[in-house]
Amino acid sequence: MRLIACHIENFGKLSDFRMEFGQGLNVIHEANAWGKSTLAAFLRVMFYGFDPKREPGAFDKERNIFRPWQGGPYGGEVDFEYGGKSYRISRTFGRTEKTDVFHLYDLGTNLECHDFSSQIGGEIFGLDAASFKRSVFIAQNDCECGSTDAINAKLGNLAENTNDINNFESAQKRIHDRMNRLSPDRATGTMKKRTNRITLLSEELKGFDAAERSAEEIAERLEEKQKQRRELSEIRSQYAQALKLASEESRRESLQASYDGIVRELEEKRAVLEQYGASFPKRVPEDEEFQEKNRQVHLLGGLKTTLYNIGLTEEEEEQYRELKELFSAGQPTQEEFGAVEESLDALARCKDERAQLETKMTYYEAMAIKKEEASPAVGKRTGMLFFGALLAVLGAAGIAASVLLAVLQNNKPVVLGVISGVLLVMAAALFAARANMRAKEKRRAVIQVQKREEERRRLQEPVDELHAQLARVVGQTEQLNRELSAFLERFHIACDADVVRNRIYELRNRAQIYDQLRARAQRSESVKEDCGQTRESLLAFGEECGISFGEDIAANISNLQMRAAEYRPARGAYEEALAKKRSFEEAHPAEELASTEKCPYSLDELNRMIREVDERIEEVRGTIAQYSHQMEDLQEQLDMRDEKEQQLAICRKEQESEGHAYEILSLTQEYLQRAKEQFAARYLGPIENGFRKYYGMLSGDTAEEWMVGSDIAVKLKEQGELRELKWLSAGCQDLLGICMRFALVDAMYPQEKPFLVLDDPYVNMDEEKVRSGNELLLQISEEYQIVYFTCHGSRVANGY
């Protein structure tokens, strides 16, 4: 839907004013007092008419506020496009709503049409005027957003039958007011007042017991005289009956004329009944059947809405088929995922344990190498061996020389021989000492080797133990990897060990999505089946009545019910005329009409007899009057007692009845609130998503700290509690209200989008929020036609 143009004849300060509107964003940037708010109000009033109520804080009603300053015709025209057709609204306003004139023209033919009534705003937007000003129309300093019954009905796709939800607030108010009026605790409550009244009456009745016996005696005498008067009255009645016989002939003629009129009326009613009965070839349904079928029509609409809300989109259908194929061999259970997660945790622990074991093993191996490098080598003592050998050689050489000299010279070289002997002895002593030292060194070396071997074994034991533990951990790791790979291979997933956990988490998320999509698909099929059964039941009802409903079942049932409603009064009128004829015939048989019985007395005789009886009756009446006068003094007290007893009984009965009504009202109030909250939950998700989107676009921040309630009210989540917006700044309140307004419009109009009227909504915002707001207007103008009023250049979007 979009606006094409408007022409204001006279409205407020605007006179002979015309403006055309383009697609997208229409910016009206004018100075203060130019008439921007007046123009915005004109657009709203052309669709909805004036609000008859006085606005809060306004000095007069809206009709008087915008009455032309310069006089002249009061009203104008608006051209717009809706549903593929172009229309023109023409309104002229008088002193009251009854004097207003409304016309609607089809711009394609330039002829007046009746596609919509004077309530065109409600018929197009599906909202009343108050709800329109809370959603599509944003006035200056009035960005607050809240739920109304009409908005709830529009959000719930109940625009064709909004009585229940539209009347929720009024019903709750009426229940609340009624409970206050009945309250047993409030001083002004009727139950509280009646409790006090019952106590007072009970005390007063204790003082009435005295005059009853005297009243009974006089009552007996009075009864005697009354009996006498009844006998005289019976005699007079007989005389009067005889008097009637004197004029019976004229009465019979009058009766015959009345009977003829009744017969003519019966024939007329029969003709009307036959005319209406032609609309029902087979039978006329009863009201209870229409109530049931209207309930089924309402149910069918609800089922269609439910089917629309829960049905899978094309992307979800494709995703559902992929997941169904993925889990064709069986979907893992939560127990299996739990076991897999335990295996992942065990694998992580094995990796940590392996790293710790490798670190320890490296430490112990380094210690062993360090010990081997630090072990001392066995010393080699070669100096003593060399010196001993040298002495032995010298001694042997000396002895050989002394023997040779003795042979050659035939003498004995004693000195040389002694020296050589001493050298040999010294050499032998050196060899012996060396042998002794070598034996000691061998014994020390053996002991050191034994110690080194024992130290090596001591250092090697933890290394061997770590090798064993490492082998166990490696084996366990490989086993876990094989198990996890086997689990993933069931779903044709192959991956490296370092991304197994991610793949399993992805698989679990996809399993959860599959569960959700499968549940929605099953629910959608069930709703489709219910929808088909309900539709078949409605079509069968039409066939039973001999009528084919076609596709527009609701309209045809409504038309059928309207025709049945016309038929029943006609049938009632016919039956009433027939009963009237039968009653007349029973009261006045044909023999009576033809009777020729005559009275035996003359009229003068009957009149004289009646006068005599009247005189006697008058005497008896005088006596009765005396007795009655005597009874009045006594009966006054008795009457007061009876009246108070009756009042007490009535009070107690009314108290019981109102107590029951008070309990029912309390339960009704509770159940109505529950029903509304359950109803609101159906559309809360889309509204909350839209609010978060627009809040992010306006503020550049997420909306995590805000919560949207079922009453379409935004509250701040802080310190674990929900805070009211009234404590925030005016700019922040306006920002939140604008976001909610746009989210509401998105949710209420998923198909044909309405135009939006914004009367300087950013007036309380800072520069950054205004820039973001201008960017937001440019973005949403691609989807909506926007009429934006402002008086300041900083609040004008770039390019406008």
Side-chain angles (χ1 to χ4, degrees):
M1 177 186 182
R2 72 179 186 90
L3 296 173
I4 300 174
C6 73
H7 175 262
I8 300 177
E9 191 72 26
N10 289 288
F11 191 87
K13 68 179 296 181
L14 298 178
S15 178
D16 193 19
F17 173 86
R18 179 172 180 83
M19 174 172 284
E20 295 184 356
F21 303 96
Q23 296 279 4
L25 182 61
N26 294 265
V27 177
I28 301 174
H29 178 203
E30 298 292 344
N32 289 329
W34 178 84
K36 298 185 295 300
S37 297
T38 301
L39 177 56
F42 172 81
L43 295 176
R44 171 176 56 78
V45 169
M46 292 303 290
F47 284 90
Y48 281 94
F50 285 116
D51 188 349
K53 298 179 181 178
R54 180 176 298 181
E55 292 289 336
F59 55 86
D60 205 346
K61 291 184 177 180
E62 195 175 44
R63 182 182 299 272
N64 295 332
I65 293 175
F66 294 108
R67 190 171 300 282
W69 294 11
Q70 64 286 338
Y74 188 6
E77 298 174 340
V78 169
D79 298 347
F80 68 99
E81 181 179 295
Y82 178 77
K85 295 178 67 176
S86 297
Y87 299 90
R88 171 173 294 163
I89 298 173
S90 174
R91 286 187 189 265
T92 302
F93 304 109
R95 290 287 178 182
T96 63
E97 184 176 357
K98 292 182 179 180
T99 59
D100 291 349
V101 179
F102 169 85
H103 294 288
L104 181 67
Y105 300 94
D106 187 343
L107 294 182
T109 62
N110 288 329
L111 297 177
E112 186 170 0
C113 67
H114 302 282
D115 292 355
F116 303 99
S117 68
S118 61
Q119 306 299 321
I120 185 172
E123 295 166 0
I124 289 179
F125 297 101
L127 301 172
D128 55 28
S131 301
F132 178 82
K133 289 193 288 186
R134 287 294 180 193
S135 55
V136 178
F137 185 94
I138 305 180
Q140 184 176 357
N141 290 320
D142 187 19
C143 299
E144 179 184 358
C145 183
S147 174
T148 68
D149 290 339
I151 289 176
N152 289 335
K154 184 67 177 175
L155 290 171
N157 293 327
L158 299 177
E160 295 181 0
N161 186 8
T162 61
N163 286 337
D164 289 343
I165 191 65
N166 276 347
N167 292 330
F168 172 81
E169 292 180 356
S170 61
Q172 285 287 57
K173 184 179 184 304
R174 290 175 63 186
I175 290 173
H176 179 73
D177 293 342
R178 178 61 176 161
M179 289 179 68
N180 283 343
R181 289 196 296 271
L182 296 177
S183 175
D185 302 317
R186 295 167 60 98
T188 58
T190 58
M191 293 178 67
K192 179 66 174 179
K193 293 178 179 179
R194 192 174 293 106
T195 299
N196 298 335
R197 176 66 174 164
I198 290 172
T199 303
L200 179 61
L201 288 173
S202 299
E203 292 297 324
E204 289 178 351
L205 284 173
K206 294 178 181 179
F208 291 100
D209 276 333
E212 191 169 0
R213 288 186 296 273
S214 298
E216 289 176 355
E217 292 177 2
I218 296 176
E220 289 176 359
R221 299 174 187 174
L222 185 60
E223 177 64 25
E224 230 173 276
K225 289 299 179 180
Q226 287 176 342
K227 181 179 180 182
Q228 186 178 358
R229 186 179 64 177
R230 285 194 295 270
E231 292 173 351
L232 292 172
S233 297
E234 182 64 26
I235 294 172
R236 189 187 188 286
S237 178
Q238 293 174 1
Y239 290 162
Q241 184 68 24
L243 184 63
K244 289 174 61 178
L245 291 175
S247 57
E248 186 65 25
E249 188 64 27
S250 81
R251 187 183 69 84
R252 283 195 299 270
E253 292 176 359
S254 176
L255 289 174
Q256 185 63 48
S258 298
Y259 180 75
D260 293 339
I262 290 172
V263 171
R264 287 194 301 272
E265 181 183 4
L266 178 62
E267 293 302 321
E268 292 173 358
K269 300 299 183 184
R270 178 186 289 111
V272 173
L273 179 62
E274 290 175 353
Q275 177 184 357
Y276 284 121
S279 300
F280 302 91
K282 294 184 178 180
R283 69 181 183 89
V284 180
E286 298 297 330
D287 284 336
E288 294 77 9
E289 293 180 272
F290 280 117
Q291 291 175 2
E292 173 61 21
K293 296 310 170 184
N294 285 328
R295 185 192 65 80
Q296 290 184 359
V297 168
H298 183 70
L299 175 62
L300 182 61
L303 290 173
K304 289 181 180 179
T305 300
T306 302
L307 186 61
Y308 174 81
N309 290 332
I310 68 173
L312 300 181
T313 63
E314 293 182 0
E315 294 80 4
E316 290 174 335
E317 288 281 2
E318 180 64 26
Q319 188 179 17
Y320 179 64
R321 286 194 293 271
E322 293 177 0
L323 294 176
K324 190 173 184 179
E325 181 179 355
L326 175 64
F327 299 114
S328 59
Q331 183 181 353
T333 63
Q334 292 298 323
E335 290 76 13
E336 289 181 289
F337 277 119
V340 168
E341 288 184 355
E342 291 179 359
S343 298
L344 288 172
D345 294 339
L347 182 63
R349 290 194 298 271
C350 287
K351 290 181 179 180
D352 294 338
E353 186 177 358
R354 180 175 180 178
Q356 294 176 3
L357 291 174
E358 288 177 349
T359 301
K360 289 182 179 179
M361 189 166 59
T362 302
Y363 169 79
Y364 281 111
E365 287 178 347
M367 289 295 295
I369 294 173
K370 185 176 180 181
K371 287 289 183 179
E372 289 178 357
E373 291 176 351
S375 299
V378 178
K380 297 181 179 179
R381 299 180 180 275
T382 57
M384 184 178 291
L385 179 62
F386 176 77
F387 189 62
L390 180 60
L391 291 178
V393 171
L394 291 177
I399 292 175
S402 64
V403 172
L404 181 60
L405 289 177
V407 172
L408 293 178
Q409 296 179 7
N410 292 318
N411 62 357
K412 298 180 180 180
V414 178
V415 177
L416 182 59
V418 173
I419 293 172
S420 300
V422 172
L423 291 174
L424 288 174
V425 171
M426 292 176 63
L430 287 173
F431 284 129
R434 183 182 180 281
N436 187 28
M437 291 179 63
R438 187 170 181 80
K440 290 181 179 180
E441 289 176 353
K442 285 182 177 181
R443 286 196 298 273
R444 284 197 299 270
V446 169
I447 293 171
Q448 289 178 354
V449 169
Q450 291 176 348
K451 289 182 177 181
R452 287 197 302 273
E453 184 63 25
E454 183 178 355
E455 182 68 16
R456 187 190 66 77
R457 283 197 302 273
R458 186 179 66 81
L459 294 175
Q460 189 64 30
E461 285 179 358
V463 173
D464 294 339
E465 183 178 355
L466 291 173
H467 274 292
Q469 293 179 3
L470 184 60
R472 175 183 59 77
V473 171
V474 170
Q476 187 175 356
T477 301
E478 293 175 351
Q479 177 63 26
L480 291 172
N481 283 326
R482 286 194 297 272
E483 292 176 355
L484 294 173
S485 298
F487 175 76
L488 291 174
E489 286 174 0
R490 286 171 52 190
F491 309 101
H492 310 290
I493 299 176
C495 61
D496 296 332
D498 55 347
V499 294
V500 167
R501 181 181 292 270
N502 294 335
R503 295 294 178 268
I504 289 175
Y505 284 166
E506 292 174 359
L507 182 64
R508 185 165 193 169
N509 289 335
R510 297 180 76 182
Q512 292 175 350
I513 294 173
Y514 177 65
D515 286 337
Q516 297 171 358
L517 293 177
R518 180 174 56 190
R520 286 177 57 193
Q522 293 173 351
R523 173 62 176 155
S524 179
E525 290 299 323
S526 175
V527 171
K528 283 181 182 178
E529 183 178 352
D530 293 341
C531 191
Q533 292 176 354
T534 304
R535 187 174 184 275
E536 290 300 324
S537 174
L538 293 171
L539 293 175
F541 171 70
E543 292 177 359
E544 290 177 4
C545 300
I547 297 172
S548 176
F549 286 157
E551 291 298 323
D552 196 354
I553 296 176
N556 285 316
I557 287 181
S558 178
N559 291 334
L560 186 63
Q561 186 175 9
M562 186 168 55
R563 293 199 298 272
E566 294 171 346
Y567 172 86
R568 289 190 183 88
R571 184 177 64 184
Y574 169 76
E575 291 175 352
E576 182 179 351
L578 183 61
K580 185 177 180 181
K581 178 176 177 293
R582 291 173 179 170
S583 178
F584 188 93
E585 290 175 346
E586 291 175 358
H588 307 286
E591 298 79 11
E592 180 184 349
L593 296 178
S595 175
T596 59
E597 181 182 0
K598 294 184 179 180
C599 180
Y601 299 102
S602 66
L603 292 175
D604 293 336
E605 291 174 341
L606 289 172
N607 288 328
R608 179 181 56 79
M609 294 165 66
I610 289 174
R611 283 195 302 272
E612 292 176 355
V613 173
D614 287 340
E615 290 174 0
R616 294 180 62 189
I617 290 175
E618 189 63 30
E619 292 176 0
V620 173
R621 183 180 293 115
T623 304
I624 292 174
Q626 292 177 1
Y627 286 143
S628 299
H629 188 70
Q630 293 175 9
M631 281 286 294
E632 285 179 357
D633 295 332
L634 296 173
Q635 193 64 37
E636 185 175 350
Q637 296 184 22
L638 296 177
D639 290 342
M640 186 178 295
R641 182 195 63 180
D642 294 339
E643 181 180 353
K644 290 189 178 294
E645 286 179 347
Q646 185 178 8
Q647 290 178 2
L648 179 60
I650 292 173
C651 284
R652 287 174 174 167
K653 186 175 181 180
E654 289 178 348
Q655 190 77 340
E656 180 181 357
S657 176
E658 288 192 353
H660 181 64
Y662 187 86
E663 181 180 0
I664 291 176
L665 287 171
S666 178
L667 292 173
T668 302
Q669 189 179 50
E670 178 182 354
Y671 291 145
L672 278 176
Q673 186 63 35
R674 290 183 187 175
K676 183 190 176 187
E677 292 173 357
Q678 293 173 359
F679 175 82
R682 295 166 48 190
Y683 54 74
L684 188 59
I687 292 177
E688 190 171 18
N689 293 336
F691 169 76
R692 295 182 184 279
K693 178 184 74 174
Y694 289 119
Y695 182 85
M697 296 170 68
L698 262 178
S699 67
D701 196 1
T702 63
E704 298 297 328
E705 68 275 22
W706 303 102
M707 177 174 289
V708 180
S710 60
D711 56 350
I712 317 300
V714 183
K715 295 184 179 179
L716 173 64
K717 293 187 293 185
E718 184 174 352
Q719 301 296 326
E721 292 184 6
L722 297 178
R723 313 290 181 178
E724 298 290 342
L725 300 187
K726 62 183 179 180
W727 307 110
L728 303 178
S729 66
C732 187
Q733 292 183 37
D734 287 352
L735 183 146
L736 297 172
I738 291 170
C739 293
M740 278 301 302
R741 292 283 187 99
F742 289 162
L744 268 179
V745 173
D746 284 348
M748 289 191 297
Y749 302 98
Q751 302 299 327
E752 185 164 1
K753 303 298 184 181
F755 62 85
L756 303 179
V757 179
L758 282 69
D759 187 7
D760 217 353
Y762 302 145
V763 66
N764 293 320
M765 296 187 186
D766 57 33
E767 295 178 358
E768 181 179 357
K769 297 297 187 301
V770 170
R771 285 194 297 271
S772 299
N774 291 334
E775 293 296 325
L776 174 61
L777 290 181
L778 291 174
Q779 293 185 38
I780 66 175
S781 64
E782 297 176 2
E783 188 175 5
Y784 293 88
Q785 183 190 37
I786 302 174
V787 181
Y788 175 62
F789 300 87
T790 184
C791 64
H792 201 284
S794 64
R795 296 194 288 273
V796 177
N798 293 332
Y800 287 85

